[in-house]
């Protein structure tokens, strides 16, 4: 199946972000649990009008935050695709997307895994297509 260029690039971006996704999820969770609050110099004696506790609000926000939910869904989909992919495919993905700085060209990757350059591209495209299906981006 031929993917649209924008969809393909978006999926590639997710694959590149995969090694740091868990850390990013933890960072977003911490930002929700401990939000930045402007200091209040008002020394008045009025009470807070909030009807829920801070713990309840934090728990509710962690459970319903759209951005956090989207990141978790994408991480879960990537986990599934990585677990079901062939070891050769994972090696190609690791060498092309997760090794920073990128030290090999497609020819170098092909030589290392023992496949042709064309076969490496096909395995990469198969991986990206599987991710797109798992995320519901393609049928």
């Amino acid at each position: 199946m031929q993917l649209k260029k924008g969809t393909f690039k978006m999926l590639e971006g997710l694959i590149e972000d995969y090694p740091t996704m868990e850390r990013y999820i933890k960072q977003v969770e911490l930002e929700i649990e401990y939000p930045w609050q402007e200091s209040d110099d008002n020394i008045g004696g009025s009470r807070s009008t909030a009807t829920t506790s801070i713990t309840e609000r934090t728990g509710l926000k962690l459970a319903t935050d759209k951005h956090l939910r989207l990141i978790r869904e994408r991480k879960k989909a990537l986990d599934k695709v990585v677990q079901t992919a062939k070891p050769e495919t994972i090696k190609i993905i690791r060498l092309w997307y997760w090794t920073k700085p990128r030290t090999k060209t497609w020819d170098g990757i092909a030589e290392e895994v023992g496949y042709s350059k064309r076969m490496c591209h096909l395995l990469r495209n198969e991986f990206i297509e599987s991710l797109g299906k798992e995320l519901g981006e393609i049928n």
Side-chain angles (χ1 to χ4, degrees):
M1 164 168 267
Q2 186 66 25
L3 289 172
K4 291 182 182 175
K5 190 173 186 176
T7 304
F8 188 85
K9 290 290 185 192
M10 183 271 296
L11 294 171
E12 277 191 313
L14 291 178
I15 294 167
E16 285 181 5
D17 292 343
Y18 181 67
T20 59
M21 273 185 173
E22 193 62 45
R23 186 171 7 136
Y24 184 66
I25 289 170
K26 296 282 187 220
Q27 179 184 346
V28 172
E29 287 172 345
L30 284 173
E31 288 173 0
I32 290 171
E33 289 177 29
Y34 305 103
W36 181 84
Q37 295 177 341
E38 188 174 347
S39 63
D40 186 7
D41 295 335
N42 184 3
I43 315 248
S46 65
R47 292 182 174 238
S48 172
T49 58
T51 57
T52 58
S53 72
I54 293 172
T55 306
E56 288 173 338
R57 282 188 300 219
T58 302
L60 185 62
K61 181 82 170 156
L62 282 170
T64 60
D65 187 77
K66 290 178 184 178
H67 181 62
L68 185 58
R69 190 174 67 239
L70 180 65
I71 298 167
R72 285 179 176 155
E73 286 172 5
R74 289 176 170 178
K75 170 90 168 71
K76 185 178 176 182
L78 267 160
D79 286 340
K80 185 175 180 181
V81 173
V82 166
Q83 288 172 357
T84 58
K86 300 173 193 168
E88 303 84 22
T89 303
I90 296 303
K91 189 169 187 178
I92 292 166
I93 296 298
R94 182 177 45 81
L95 289 169
W96 186 251
Y97 293 107
W98 300 336
T99 302
K100 300 292 180 198
R102 187 176 294 153
T103 57
K104 295 191 183 285
T105 64
W106 278 109
D107 292 319
I109 292 171
E111 187 176 318
E112 184 164 328
V113 296
Y115 287 134
S116 68
K117 182 177 170 182
R118 175 146 173 76
M119 186 64 180
C120 290
H121 281 281
L122 289 172
L123 289 171
R124 185 261 326 247
N125 292 347
E126 182 181 284
F127 184 87
I128 290 175
E129 191 174 310
S130 296
L131 177 60
K133 287 179 181 176
E134 190 63 36
L135 289 170
E137 294 291 330
I138 57 176
N139 296 328

